[in-house]
Amino acid sequence: MSSQTPTKFDVVVVGAGPAGASAAYLLAKAGYKVLIVERGRGAGTKELFGGKIYAEPLRTVWPDLDKEAPIHRWVTRERISFVKGERVTTVEFKLGRKVAFTTYLTEMAKWMTNKAVESGAILVDEVRVDEIIVENGRVKGIRSGPDTIEADVVVDAEGVNRILLEKLGLAEKIKPDQVALGVKEVINIGKKAMNERLLLDEGEGLAWFMVGDVTAGIPGGGFMYTMKDTIALGLVLHIGKAYEAAKTGELKHTVPMLLEKLRTHPFFSKIWGDADVLEYGAHMTIEGGLRYMPKKLYMPGLVVVGDAAGLLLNTGYTIRGVDYAVYSGKLAAETIIEALESDGPTEENLRKYEERVRESFMFRELVKHRGIEKVMEDPMFFTKLPAMLNILLAKLYEQDYEEPTVLEALLDSVKESDVSLSKFMLKLFSVVSKL
Amino acid sequence: MSEEKGLKPIKIEDLLQRTVYDVDEDPHIEIIDERGVPKELTMLCPCSCYTTVGEKLLYSYEGCLECGLCRVLSEPWGLRWEYPKSGRGVQYRFT
Amino acid sequence: MRIVVGIKWVPNTQAVRFDPKTGTLIRAGVPSIVNPHDFPAIELALRLKDMYGGEVIAVTMAPPSATQGLEHVLGMGVDKGILLTDRKFAGADTLATSYVIAKGIEKISKEIGPVDVAIFGHETIDSSTAHIGAQVASWLGWPYVYYARDAKLVEDGKLRVTRQTEKAVEEYEVNLPAVVATAIKALKPRPVRLSYKLRAKIEKPIIAWNIEDLGLDPRCTGLKGSPTVVANITWMPEVPRKKIVYTPKDPRDAARWILKQLFSDESVAGFLKKALWGEE
């Protein structure tokens, strides 16, 4: 290497996702020498999420977000559908306020990383980090193949697969019950057809959560988000339970086939018809952020942000990952700046990052919804409740001559969907208290 | 669930054609000892990269979406699991 | 040693789909890559530099977006990138392309330092002509060896190029400067390295030359300089193929079984008999 090329930076950020990019942006803007190392070809090429981002936490980093970011549509409608075979019960809510938008994370991560690069951070892409180097209990830098780069602080934003943290001993091997698998198709429906069929105005978006037998008895659900002119359609499946179902033979279809079943479902497919599938992808997400959180989010010379830190809220009906990632990147950057301005990235100084995380809305939310993943694993909610609802409505509406009273229908549907009413009420209470 | 008339599920090998890859010459994932890799991955792997021929579990890395599922479900000694090098592997565009 | 390696920024053909409704190629949103068959050439160039010192310069004729491809090969250890870019280069066939590249190499020799070897890949994945190496050699008047798998310097400053044909390993000694084209998959490329990629980001060793910089006559470049005419494009529908899995215990059984399958098809059997035993 020639003498011009540095081998030391103030901060090295591993991963150009939302968490890494926001930390890099704020640190570079504050004048620090920042290197972002990303394994993908440019930022965003390894990114996949559902489709919806909550805007307000992002505005604390980029106040001009609404004007500049690649926002596809603002979510103005939320739908939940309970699916049992061909019967579908749907609840739709028209929001009074715009809080979340849809986008491609591939575009969003690129936008965020460009912001960091425009502020002076250096992005090295196509490079995999193999190791976080520790000397005398202090993180000294990173290694990639034969090359090492020193840094005062390393920001680990490696994502849900914690290869580096596991090597470092800061995180344990992932257990199947801690994660869910997301699979997603992007359907090229076209703007006009989408707006007409979903009754959307220009720039307005729909988020749709589907629960019931779209996941073939596995805890999880289906999702659909409207992008600018495409639809993101996907499934999230609890991995531990999916593994059990595959072992017992209860799982009759492969995971990609489950998603194809949803795409070709007689009710839902009315929206996109035979529109072309542009892309298919998969990514893991977290079930229960607190259980996924490493023992510590810092050590001398290191902070952990985003998915790697378990900072993702999964309530079953909604997943908030990108805004948590960005906000954790912001808290990390603020702590690092303070540390570098005082006596360095010591244990005591970086502990403040974890303290800030614990004082933030993220931690409060994660604590409040703690255990929701356990409840959501209960078949009561993702198969029996949807079945019951649909049987109830079938009793009320699918009659030729005689209609039952609502009470008769309710009691029948409870019986037919194999639900104990008292248990159901108890469980409903435990869910509502955690949602 | 039945399918909409005329709408047929796309086979996984055709579905993966929609996704862009720059496939590396070297596999980034390899089965080291198939006793440490569950056969259920033939059902669960989102790109159906795992197949069985007779009793043998085979893995082909070309269609890998780099999700990490097989790493979670396998023993550490069952698989050599890495991300592809040099920016190769899946190249997401609209996700 | 100063080694030039020619690369092409091509659409990732795996991702190009055919729209059966309209009969056209769907290229929208398809990312480009460095032509995969160029990697053995890059690797050979870097090995020569490892052995004899000097520098490797990657050259490409492309729109400015190819900077990303040049950065990729800089990340492998290439020292400089030259982007030959001009709107007047667009629509070029291999003749017009090789002309621009040859002139680029002449300019490198004059302004950066004399070029000893120019190395190209066998062919590109988006046009598969395998013309460029030979045509550049013709323009420059340099000797040309193709299907190369390896090369090294020998006595009298000659380059000994090893190539493998179907029936033999051949060695050619050529005077420098020379042009070499590598065989497909001849050498496994080295990965992108953090230190090289970082150097590329900081030193930005990519130079862009346009038609004036090269002093070329626009009648010889781009569409105007291209005598090739595309008469027609037809779509060959996919032939559905049968998959048979046969898993014998003994590999010899597998070999016998494959032969039996092959010879059971008349046309294949005819081809094999001719190829193996010269029978008609």
Side-chain angles (χ1 to χ4, degrees), chain A residues 149-191:
Chain A
I149 297 285
E150 280 182 58
D152 288 333
V153 188
V154 171
V155 177
D156 184 320
E158 63 179 311
V160 65
N161 288 307
R162 298 190 289 216
I163 317 280
L164 300 173
L165 282 189
E166 284 181 25
K167 271 191 199 166
L168 206 59
L170 223 55
E172 287 170 11
K173 183 183 188 312
I174 304 169
K175 294 177 190 71
D177 279 335
Q178 293 176 317
V179 276
L181 175 68
V183 285
K184 170 169 161 179
E185 286 175 3
V186 182
I187 301 171
N188 192 17
I189 172 177
K191 191 189 275 184

Side-chain angles (χ1 to χ4, degrees), chain A residues 208-372:
Chain A
W208 199 340
F209 176 63
M210 300 122 179
V211 59
D213 53 11
V214 292
T215 53
I218 298 165
F223 61 82
M224 193 211 93
Y225 295 103
T226 54
M227 298 297 153
K228 201 168 280 164
D229 41 26
T230 62
I231 275 175
L233 180 74
L235 289 175
V236 177
L237 304 165
H238 182 287
I239 287 181
K241 299 285 177 189
Y243 184 33
E244 278 170 32
K247 261 198 254 184
T248 58
E250 281 166 62
L251 183 63
K252 298 279 183 269
H253 297 288
T254 65
V255 165
M257 189 49 78
L258 285 182
L259 180 53
E260 274 299 295
K261 290 261 167 198
L262 176 58
R263 189 184 63 84
T264 55
H265 187 282
F267 178 75
F268 298 106
S269 65
K270 288 282 187 295
I271 293 159
W272 46 82
D274 64 350
D276 199 22
V277 176
L278 285 181
E279 193 163 35
Y280 170 68
H283 206 280
M284 274 204 309
T285 188
I286 302 165
E287 292 263 359
L290 289 182
R291 291 188 304 161
Y292 201 70
M293 203 170 271
K295 281 164 276 184
K296 274 167 70 181
L297 299 183
Y298 65 96
M299 64 182 272
L302 177 82
V303 291
V304 186
V305 295
D307 274 6
L311 291 170
L312 177 142
L313 180 70
N314 184 347
T315 62
Y317 65 90
T318 193
I319 293 181
R320 289 181 71 152
V322 175
D323 62 323
Y324 277 44
V326 167
Y327 204 76
S328 68
K330 171 188 144 84
L331 297 182
E334 287 168 359
T335 311
I336 291 167
I337 291 169
E338 276 176 24
L340 294 180
E341 278 173 1
S342 62
D343 58 336
T346 59
E347 173 99 16
E348 295 73 51
N349 285 342
L350 294 185
R351 181 184 295 132
K352 288 185 192 130
Y353 164 63
E354 185 159 334
E355 286 166 10
R356 284 189 164 112
V357 167
R358 286 177 186 276
E359 285 158 14
S360 72
F361 75 94
M362 301 185 287
F363 204 78
R364 285 198 301 275
E365 284 291 293
L366 286 168
V367 170
K368 193 160 70 187
H369 298 280
R370 186 206 303 259
I372 187 72

